[in-house]
Amino acid sequence: MFELKKLAVALGLTAVAMASHAAGTLIYCSEASPEGFDNAQYSGGNTFDASGHALFNRLVEFKKGTTEVEPGLAESWTTSADGTVYTFKLRKGVKFHTTDYFKPTREFNADDVIFTFGRMTEKEHPFNKAYPAQYPFASDTGLDGNVESITKTDPLTVIFKLKKPDADMLAKIALPYASVLSAEFANKLVAEGKASQINQQPVGTGPFVLRRYEKDAQIRYVKNKEYWNASNVMVDNLIFAITTDASVRFQKLKAGECHIMSQPKPQDIAAMKADPNLKVDTAPGFNIGYLSYNTSKPLLAKLEVREALDMAINRKAILDAVYQGQGQEASNPFPSSLWSYNPKLKNAAYNPEKAKELLKKAGVAEGTEITLWAMPVQRPYNPNAKLMAEMIQADWAKVGIKAKITQYEWGDYLKRLKQGEHDTGLIGWTGDYASPDNFLGVLLTCEAIGGSNYARYCSKEFDALVLKARNSVNQKERTELYMKAQEVFKKDLPWSTIAHSMVNQPMRKELSGFKISPFGDYNFEGVSVK
């Protein structure tokens, strides 16, 4: 992407290893590069960790380790009786980052909020003309179509007026895609004809300031000394050591070259727990790992074909080999810990013979070829996508389907999935907020096609239920609607649901203050190294 200060290649990652012994430096071994630094354009956890949490703030945020919304850049807020008007009182004295490429002349105010949300909700926004981009999360959550207006009554008061009530509004804008940007910096970029640089040269209000990024190698940050919540930044330097191989991340963690790592292999957990220098925190996963069927492809558009492929998958074998005791079979599109989970839904039994019959009935010739995409990284919901793909490939071969396993670099993988290039693809989701809409709405509605609806599934029946629930403020009604929507999902089968996994978080014992997020985030505010 870019580099702020030239550094001899020879110093590269050696500097990362040496920094593990430096006072005030925290090193995180992450598994992939961010897609970019403009959070609004993306939906990947790597991007949200590296940019959204490290560099930016939201109006409201999630209290660490919980699903509870608390004040962020907004000190307080009120909601109208009908649930359509939100008034935010903004925090005074917040400063944007000063960098090599930008020096702010004013503090954060309402104009920054209006700019941030305006470009996501107004197609004709001037910045979108200078830098055309897609905003998948704003679309997936229904925010872009539900905001009627965003206005200010004074520099520190912003009013959001919605077309319909949205009971999840606060939780939605607490997500990293809603990180508040500097309108002053955006205007500067437009004037210089460099609007696209907003994705390479981030300017936020967050706890750290970006100093250097080397793709697939490292990201270096320094403490934001003017941070509005300065006592919560407990290290002077933060380094993301990008390490794609989980085994190598584990070796670095053992050697003290990083203090915390992402996505451990299930088979390594026992060794991690036995290491006297390490500790492993564990929590139930708020996630779903699944196989997405691209329903826009003629073959996969046939329900009988999806049903056949689904019942040809040996889930028990996958749970044993891939999750190794750290997962449970998934039958619904979200975990049972979330309200409105429908316990009546079950997966079809593993039945290769019946799968053959269904394929024959659908007119699918033996030897038919399809692509089976496998994620190139470990994620909580899928610790070994390549192995899972190989097992599904073998299962489908038994019913006469030839699956070609395909992989791309993580950012490219997500981009191509959104464009619908795949036939079938392994993917998953860790919830961003504690509402069924974050799974059903974001991943499966018609409006989410081109975003996180990788199945390109569009059902009027399903949408009617989910969107009615989204705009209701009656919890009982919402629960009933979401339970019915899950029944429609299971009937239509746009996914083969695979597993919900446990989350194991290894770290060195000298690290303190880190809390496992229910949403799978890596946020280093309040984290220190002894």
Side-chain angles (χ1 to χ4, degrees), residues 89-157:
K89 293 294 183 180
L90 306 183
R91 193 176 297 277
K92 187 178 181 180
V94 175
K95 297 181 179 180
F96 280 100
H97 298 161
T98 295
T99 70
D100 290 351
Y101 44 85
F102 179 67
K103 184 175 182 179
T105 64
R106 64 165 176 80
E107 295 178 344
F108 157 76
N109 65 30
D111 291 336
D112 303 305
V113 178
I114 293 172
F115 165 73
T116 295
F117 288 92
R119 70 181 189 130
M120 290 190 283
T121 59
E122 301 170 24
K123 290 184 179 179
E124 298 303 313
H125 192 281
F127 193 84
N128 291 335
K129 294 180 179 179
Y131 177 39
Q134 299 295 315
Y135 306 113
F137 233 121
S139 176
D140 294 350
T141 59
L143 181 74
D144 61 351
N146 196 33
V147 172
E148 183 173 308
S149 64
I150 307 171
T151 57
K152 65 178 180 178
T153 56
D154 61 61
L156 294 177
T157 306

Side-chain angles (χ1 to χ4, degrees), residues 270-330:
M272 291 173 172
K273 290 181 176 179
D275 191 315
N277 297 312
L278 305 181
K279 56 184 176 181
V280 180
D281 289 349
T282 302
F286 192 54
N287 59 45
I288 171 73
Y290 62 93
L291 176 73
S292 178
Y293 298 111
N294 186 344
T295 60
S296 70
K297 297 290 182 78
L299 179 65
L300 282 309
K302 298 178 180 180
L303 178 58
E304 297 94 338
V305 173
R306 300 197 298 274
E307 289 175 333
L309 294 176
D310 178 72
M311 67 178 62
I313 296 173
N314 189 336
R315 286 180 173 82
K316 184 180 185 306
I318 287 174
L319 283 165
D320 291 342
V322 175
Y323 293 88
Q324 300 191 18
Q326 299 297 313
Q328 63 184 54
E329 182 175 337

